[in-house]
Amino acid sequence: MKFAILINEGPFTHQASDSAYRFTAAALNRGHEIYRVFFYNDGVYNSNKLSSPQTDDRNLVSLWAKLGKEHGIDLVVCVAAALRRGIKDEVLEDGFRISGLGQLVEAGIQADRLIVFGD
Amino acid sequence: MSEMNEFDESAPTVVKRFMYVNRRAPYGTIYALECLEVVLVAAAFDQDVSVVFLDDGVCQLKKNQDTTGIGMKNFSKTYGALDDYDVEKIYVEKESLAARGLTADDLVIPVEVLAADDLREVMAQQDVVISF
């Protein structure tokens, strides 16, 4: 099945991004396709390469980047939500790209299922 | 010309039913504002778009909002633009309105008030449900 993923929360305050990451990894492991992961609301913080969580904790920014690289996943950060929160190309982790909300709608059209992870 | 459009490869071939669900109060969190931004963009994609307001989300449509005391932008007038964007399916859950002492007359735009059971049926018919 072809999935699209929407993440609406940042990597620390909520578990949404953790759950989305585990869902995405499990889906890929089962041979499903991930059409796109779209980061919206505080979800855009998942792309901030300046994030430095304690070393004995998981680092979702690098986990997403690594998973994206391994499987060629399109990791898209909403430009409007990102600008509000100071997320620009200068702080964007490799493997993510900044684009418009249209990418979310298009993912909803192209994917068999769009799964929302939020509060 | 309409015959020609059938062969226009740039025309969208897939029309899905997108439903955007608003469950939060308009202020206090950013979900209401950022959901509205998605809906306005989504309207440009020639999809079948509907918007739902339930739980505290019904307060997003309350008339006479005054945000001067909290220093935030009052975006309630923007809901009036949904009609200009051809977003005409606006559903409000009946129970959520009643629980907050509101009626459809208290809202900034005309809506279709649906009981939870009926709303559930409409929701089940959707291809994509995005909840904020």
Side-chain angles (χ1 to χ4, degrees):
Chain A
M1 188 173 279
K2 198 193 292 184
F3 288 104
I5 309 292
L6 170 61
I7 300 175
N8 287 331
E9 299 296 343
F12 303 114
T13 310
H14 294 269
Q15 196 182 338
S17 181
D18 287 274
S19 302
Y21 175 80
R22 290 176 178 279
F23 178 92
T24 302
L28 290 165
N29 194 35
R30 285 288 187 95
H32 296 292
E33 182 187 340
I34 302 295
Y35 181 77
R36 178 169 296 142
V37 180
F38 192 85
F39 298 87
Y40 192 50
N41 294 130
D42 277 2
V44 302
Y45 288 129
N46 288 287
S47 70
N48 186 350
K49 70 178 176 191
L50 299 182
S51 297
S52 308
Q54 291 180 325
T55 49
D56 59 351
D57 197 1
R58 80 255 182 273
N59 183 334
L60 276 167
V61 178
S62 50
L63 284 173
W64 275 117
K66 186 164 172 275
L67 192 68
K69 233 168 266 174
E70 282 171 4
H71 297 275
I73 309 171
D74 194 17
L75 304 176
V76 178
V77 179
C78 169
V79 63
L83 286 179
R84 261 191 196 116
R85 295 167 176 85
I87 304 291
K88 300 182 171 188
D89 283 329
E90 299 95 286
V91 302
L92 199 67
E93 176 77 350
D94 283 348
F96 291 83
R97 66 186 180 93
I98 295 178
S99 189
L101 274 169
Q103 298 280 304
L104 167 62
V105 180
E106 198 243 355
I109 295 170
Q110 298 297 334
D112 300 312
R113 294 281 189 280
L114 187 150
I115 317 286
V116 183
F117 292 87
D119 184 22
Chain B
M1 288 305 283
S2 61
E3 289 86 351
M4 286 185 69
N5 285 342
E6 292 174 29
F7 302 100
D8 182 0
E9 289 183 356
S10 67
T13 51
V14 181
V15 175
K16 283 192 174 181
R17 282 158 295 192
F18 279 74
M19 173 176 276
Y20 297 89
V21 182
N22 289 281
R23 296 174 294 132
R24 324 269 187 139
Y27 311 102
T29 65
I30 201 168
Y31 299 105
L33 173 63
E34 290 197 324
C35 182
L36 182 57
E37 290 181 353
V38 176
V39 172
L40 294 175
V41 168
F45 277 75
D46 293 328
Q47 300 291 300
D48 181 346
V49 174
S50 58
V51 187
V52 174
F53 297 86
L54 56 82
D55 297 340
D56 278 349
V58 300
C59 298
Q60 294 176 26
L61 297 180
K62 177 83 175 62
K63 276 181 189 163
N64 303 320
Q65 294 179 25
D66 180 359
T67 60
T68 49
I70 55 172
M72 300 183 79
K73 187 165 115 181
N74 177 356
F75 58 93
S76 61
K77 288 186 177 65
T78 313
Y79 293 104
L82 290 174
D83 189 49
D84 303 331
Y85 283 77
D86 294 326
V87 177
E88 289 157 350
K89 295 174 187 166
I90 315 277
Y91 305 116
V92 174
E93 195 206 45
K94 187 181 177 185
E95 289 83 348
S96 299
L97 271 184
R100 288 158 186 81
L102 299 171
T103 70
D105 292 337
D106 296 311
L107 308 180
V108 290
I109 51 171
V111 302
E112 185 173 345
V113 178
L114 290 178
D117 285 345
D118 298 325
L119 186 57
R120 189 179 304 128
E121 276 178 32
V122 178
M123 208 173 265
Q125 293 161 6
Q126 304 300 313
D127 296 306
V128 181
V129 178
I130 299 181
S131 174
F132 286 98

